Structure formats: structure tokens, C-alpha cells
């Protein structure tokens, strides 16, 4: 199948190019920066250079390439993740204007399907909820403080994908990924490096997050290309939702370090308000049952 991956050079993009190439797909990776084309070629995909804010150019690229499926991995965040709401500003623009341009170009060219990256925080930032949350209530939580526009842009991007099949021949699927971990994920690699020298700070708080190894992101996304149902959201998370402190404890144990140092999310909030809310106080234990049942996918057990 010919697949165009926008955001091909992102953390999940590189893993996905590798997986699609392994499965024998004809893969084209989109980048806005000519100097990044070797990264795409290295993973066995053909690079194409286009900026998603340039709708006219996107139209001509899409018509030339004629992909069957377009995957959008368009997010743009600081290398080690957002610390404050203002760090989402470029991503807000990308979700609000760039990604919709890509979807419109795909519809215009008669692409069969769009598969788009979203994130568990599209559910919002609830501070309590059921023991396991599925996709049946798409928006149960409020935005974080000051994050109304950011969350509205993310949810607007999702809605553009989910409703695509209602007014075009292009059906859309949304994948809500958990927090990434594994090789090539910058914060994970930073923690591994730091853990060799220090006991890591393990942020504590009442929140629970859902997690996903970057290789499982690639396999789930590859399965969604053929097996996902149009207009549907799938949680792409592993089997073990856990608090941030649990993630740090596991990572420390893997590199043979002593127990990490507990640090309250309130203290973290003084220097990094966003992660303190998102990973210290937000309740998002997501179920992957729908992805397992419908995509025939299962995350690899890693402990
Ligand atoms: N679920 C999660 O845990 C999650 C999700 C996303 C990100 N993150 C984290 O956030 C950090 C940054 O990751 P990231 O993947 O967002 O960063 P990134 O490396 O900046 O990736 C953004 C992708 O979007 C593309 N892009 C941006 N603007 C574009 C434009 N105007 N036209 C075409 N393509 C455009 C970029 O392509 P070019 O630069 O090649 O043009 C790039 O491939 C990492 O630490 C990552 O682990 C975590």
C-alpha cells in the first residue's frame, strides 16, 4: 500500500517508517526541511519536502504521490516535552491550520483514509474517574489552567479527522497515544543517562497516566492503516497505566539504580506547571481493549 507519513521525522515517525518498510509498504515521508530528507531515506522511505501551511503545494504533492493512506504525526513540542502551556503554541497552530490543510489536500486527492496522531490528553485533565477509561466518552475532562485554546485546537483537529468520511470519500481514524517511552524518546533517554549518576526525582501525586513503548506505537499505527474503522478513536496504550513515580521507579530499576527520590507534584509545579498537572494530578488510566479487539494489535509485555 502507498502510505504518506506527515511528521515522518518525529519521534513516532521514524519508528513508523521503519515498521511500514519492514511490512513491505511503499512509504513516502513528508518533511518541511530539506536537510532532514536523509533521516527519511535511512528508514527506507522516499522523502518529499512540503510545508503543511502551504495548502497549494500540498495539493500538488498529494496529486503527484497518490497515496492510499495519509498518516498525520503532526505535533511540534519542545524536545523534552512541554513545561508550560505557552510551549504548546506552535503545536496549537499546527493542529489548528497545518493539519487541517493536510486533511483537506487528502480529501481533494481522493485519499482513502487518514490516520491521525492524537494523545491521551484529548480526554482533558480530569482529576478523578473510573478505574479504566474507554473511548465511549470522548471528552470527559476540562483543559488545564490557561490551556483552553490548546485543548480546543487538539480536539478540533480530531473532529476534522473523525468527520472526514461524512462529507468526502476520505475516512478518518484518530489514535490517542499514551506517554511515549523507549529508545529514541528524548525524555526517556535523558532519564536513563541521568540515572547512571543520580537517583532520579520521581514526581508523586494522585494522577495516573497511560504509557506506550515507541515500538508499540509503530505496530499499532501500522495495523490501523488497514483495520481501523473510519470515524473511530482508538486508545493506543500499554496494559499498565501507572503514576509518573511508577514509570521512574521502573526505569531506575532497569539501569540498576537505587530507589528514586520522591518529589511532590506541587513542588515540581513551581518550575514546570504543565507536567505537574498532566502527570501529577490528572486521572487517565486508559483501556486498550478496543484497539486490541479491532486492530488485532497487542503491546509487547516489557517487564
Ligand atoms: N504521546 C507522547 O508522549 C508524545 C507525543 C508527541 C511528542 N512527544 C514528545 O515531545 C517531544 C517532541 O516530539 P515531536 O515528535 O512533537 O517533535 P518534532 O520532532 O518536532 O516532530 C514534529 C513533526 O512534525 C513535522 N512538522 C512540524 N511542522 C511542520 C510543517 N509546517 N510542515 C510539515 N511538517 C511539519 C516535523 O517535520 P519536519 O521538522 O521534518 O519538517 C516533525 O516530523 C519528544 O520528547 C516526544 O517524545 C510525546
Amino acid at each position: 500500500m502507498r502510505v504518506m507519513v506527515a511528521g515522518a521525522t518525529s519521534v513516532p515517525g521514524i519508528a513508523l517508517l521503519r515498521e511500514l518498510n519492514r511490512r513491505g509498504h511503499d512509504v513516502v515521508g513528508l518533511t518541511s526541511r530539506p536537510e532532514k530528507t536523509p533521516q527519511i531515506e535511512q528508514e527506507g522511505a522516499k522523502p518529499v519536502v512540503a510545508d503543511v501551511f502551504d495548502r497549494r503545494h500540498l495539493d500538488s504533492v498529494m496529486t503527484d504521490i497518490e497515496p492510499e493512506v495519509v498518516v498525520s504525526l503532526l505535533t511540534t513540542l519542545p524536545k523534552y516535552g512541554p513545561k508550560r502551556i505557552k510551549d504548546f503554541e506552535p503545536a496549537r497552530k499546527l493542529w489548528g491550520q497545518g493539519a487541517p490543510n493536510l486533511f483537506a489536500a487528502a480529501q481533494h486527492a481522493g485519499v482513502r483514509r487518514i490516520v491521525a496522531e492524537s494523545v491521551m490528553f484529548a480526554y482533558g485533565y480530569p482529576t478523578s474517574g473510573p478505574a479504566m477509561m474507554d473511548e465511549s466518552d470522548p471528552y470527559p475532562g476540562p483543559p488545564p489552567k490557561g490551556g483552553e485554546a490548546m485543548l480546543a485546537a487538539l480536539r478540533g483537529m480530531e473532529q476534522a479527522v473523525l468527520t472526514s468520511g461524512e462529507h468526502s470519500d476520505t475516512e478518518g481514524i484518530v489514535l490517542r497515544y499514551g506517554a511515549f517511552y523507549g529508545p529514541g524518546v528524548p525524555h526517556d533517554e535523558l532519564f536513563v543517562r541521568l540515572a547512571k549518576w543520580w537517583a532520579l526525582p520521581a514526581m508523586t501525586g494522585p494522577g495516573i497516566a497511560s504509557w506506550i513503548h515507541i515500538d508499540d506505537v509503530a505496530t499499532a499505527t501500522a495495523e490501523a492503516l488497514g483495520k481501523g474503522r473510519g470515524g473511530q478513536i482508538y486508545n493506543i496504550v500499554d496494559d499498565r497505566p501507572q503514576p509518573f513515580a511508577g514509570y521512574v521507579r521502573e526505569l531506575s530499576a532497569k539501569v540498576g539504580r537505587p530507589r528514586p527520590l520522591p518529589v511532590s507534584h506541587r513542588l515540581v509545579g513551581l518550575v514546570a506547571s504543565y507536567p505537574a498537572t498532566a502527570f501529577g494530578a490528572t486521572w487517565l488510566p486508559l483501556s486498550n481493549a478496543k484497539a486490541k479487539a479491532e486492530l488485532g494489535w497487542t503491546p509487547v509485555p516489557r517487564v
Side-chain angles (χ1 to χ4, degrees):
M1 179 189 309
R2 180 166 304 155
V3 185
M4 181 195 279
V5 180
T9 62
S10 67
V11 171
I14 294 294
L16 180 64
L17 295 184
R18 201 170 295 155
E19 180 63 21
L20 294 179
N21 186 38
R22 195 181 65 76
R23 293 177 183 224
H25 292 297
D26 176 9
V27 189
V28 177
L30 188 125
T31 175
S32 63
R33 295 165 57 181
E35 70 275 17
K36 287 194 178 176
T37 56
Q39 290 177 34
I40 295 171
E41 284 165 333
Q42 205 173 321
E43 302 305 338
K46 284 191 236 62
V48 61
V49 178
D51 187 320
V52 293
F53 289 101
D54 183 345
R55 170 69 204 275
R56 195 176 294 181
H57 187 205
L58 265 188
D59 274 340
S60 81
V61 161
M62 202 70 78
T63 313
D64 283 352
I65 294 172
E66 295 185 311
E68 274 177 80
V69 178
V70 169
V71 181
S72 168
L73 301 175
L74 293 168
T75 57
T76 182
L77 296 169
K79 185 171 180 192
Y80 294 111
K83 294 193 181 45
R84 293 179 187 76
I85 290 294
K86 72 176 168 50
D87 293 338
F88 282 99
E89 204 41 31
R92 186 182 69 76
K93 288 196 185 121
L94 201 54
W95 295 329
Q97 295 164 30
N101 273 345
L102 179 77
F103 308 150
Q107 290 161 351
H108 185 68
V111 169
R112 190 168 60 80
R113 171 170 281 195
I114 301 163
V115 176
E117 169 180 13
S118 185
V119 64
M120 60 181 171
F121 297 114
Y123 284 107
Y125 297 74
T127 51
S128 62
M132 228 22 161
M133 296 166 67
D134 65 21
E135 294 86 344
S136 53
D137 183 356
Y139 301 126
K145 194 162 172 270
E148 294 78 4
M150 174 274 284
L151 189 58
L154 176 63
R155 290 174 171 177
M157 181 278 291
E158 284 195 341
Q159 282 305 315
V161 174
L162 295 169
T163 58
S164 175
E166 293 169 17
H167 52 83
S168 76
D169 296 334
T170 308
E171 60 182 20
I173 293 163
V174 163
L175 303 181
R176 286 186 176 164
Y177 299 143
F180 297 157
Y181 65 95
V185 177
H187 69 260
D188 203 76
E189 293 192 333
L190 177 69
F191 281 164
V192 169
R193 281 199 301 279
L194 291 177
K196 294 196 174 130
W197 302 98
W198 292 303
L200 289 177
M203 182 171 64
T204 59
I208 303 269
S210 294
W211 303 83
I212 186 76
H213 191 281
I214 198 69
D215 293 343
D216 294 326
V217 168
T219 55
T221 309
E223 293 296 354
L225 303 188
K227 297 184 189 153
R229 277 189 299 135
Q232 296 295 308
I233 298 169
Y234 295 91
N235 295 335
I236 304 300
V237 295
D238 69 15
D239 294 325
R240 300 175 311 115
Q242 59 172 333
F244 188 82
Y247 155 72
V248 174
R249 259 196 304 278
E250 274 183 16
L251 190 143
S252 300
K254 262 188 236 156
V255 292
R257 293 299 294 171
R259 295 178 73 77
L261 294 172
V263 182
S264 152
H265 74 294
R266 293 188 195 287
L267 198 60
V268 173
L270 299 177
V271 289
S273 55
Y274 180 77
T277 300
F279 290 96
T282 300
W283 183 263
L284 287 174
L286 304 187
S287 161
N288 58 16
K290 181 175 172 183
K292 281 180 170 170
E294 296 191 14
L295 307 182
W297 163 83
T298 194
V300 173
R302 306 206 180 252
V303 177

